Amino acid sequence: MTENKKHRKSSRREFLAGGAMLGAGIALGSEVASAAQDKKVSSIMNSARIDAPYELSKASNKIYSACLQCNTGCGISAKLQDGVVVKIDGNPYNPWTMLPHIPYATGVDTASVIDGSICPKGQSGLQTAYDPYRIRKVLKRAGKRGENKWIVVSFDQAIKEIAEGGKIFAHVPGEAERNVEGL
C-alpha cells in the first residue's frame, strides 16, 4: 500500500455527509428510545393495576403555589411525600404552564393527575428549599465590607434598622461615626 492511500484525507463534502449521517443516526436512535420510554412511563402512570398507584398525583399530596426562582412567577404544583416536597411541576390551572389550557372549572381531583410544564430553574426549587447552606436567619455585617464576618440579628431588629437607619454599624471598626439613612 502506498503512503498516499494510507493517509488519504477526506474531502469537505465527504466529511459533511458523514457528519449528517451520524447526526441522523443519533436523532433516530434517541427518538426510538424516547418513544419506548414514554410508552413505559405512561403505562405505569396510567395503570389501572391495584399494586401500581401513583401516590403523588392525589390531590391531598399537592400544594399549588407560585415559583419565585425568577421574576415571571409561574404557577407550580408541589408534590408532597410524608410532608416533604419531592417534585415540582407546573400548575395545570396556570395558562403559562399548560397548552392547551384546562378550564378553571376543572375539579382538583381531575386536575391533580395533570402535570404542567415548568422550566429547569423552577424545578430546581427543591435544591433552593432544602439546601443545607441556605440562609435561614437574618444576618448583619459585623466587619468591614468583604471581610465575610456576620452576626445574627432578630427580624424585628433588622426591620427597625432598615426603616429608621442611624449608626447601625457602630460596632464595626472604622464605621463608628457612619450614619446610615433609613427608608
Side-chain angles (χ1 to χ4, degrees), residues 74-76 88-92 96-99 115-119 123:
C74 296
I76 60 173
I88 297 176
D89 288 312
N91 183 340
W96 292 342
T97 63
M98 288 293 295
L99 191 66
D115 291 333
S117 61
I118 193 86
C119 73
Q123 292 175 5

Side-chain angles (χ1 to χ4, degrees), residues 57-59 62 64 92-93 98 102-103 105-115:
S57 70
K58 291 183 178 177
K62 288 193 173 190
Y64 295 108
Y93 292 107
M98 288 293 295
I102 65 170
T106 305
V108 177
D109 289 332
T110 305
S112 68
V113 296
I114 302 170
D115 291 333

Side-chain angles (χ1 to χ4, degrees), residues 30-122:
S30 66
E31 285 296 320
V32 169
S34 176
Q37 181 65 22
D38 288 345
K39 185 176 181 182
K40 183 178 174 184
V41 169
S42 66
S43 67
I44 291 172
M45 303 240 338
N46 297 328
S47 176
R49 293 179 17 194
I50 296 172
D51 62 340
Y54 187 59
E55 295 295 320
L56 298 180
S57 70
K58 291 183 178 177
S60 60
N61 292 337
K62 288 193 173 190
I63 295 177
Y64 295 108
S65 184
C67 177
L68 300 177
Q69 296 292 86
C70 73
N71 62 348
T72 305
C74 296
I76 60 173
S77 170
K79 295 181 179 180
L80 303 171
Q81 186 173 33
D82 299 326
V84 177
V85 177
V86 294
K87 186 155 181 4
I88 297 176
D89 288 312
N91 183 340
Y93 292 107
N94 189 305
W96 292 342
T97 63
M98 288 293 295
L99 191 66
H101 309 310
I102 65 170
Y104 284 120
T106 305
V108 177
D109 289 332
T110 305
S112 68
V113 296
I114 302 170
D115 291 333
S117 61
I118 193 86
C119 73
K121 188 183 268 191

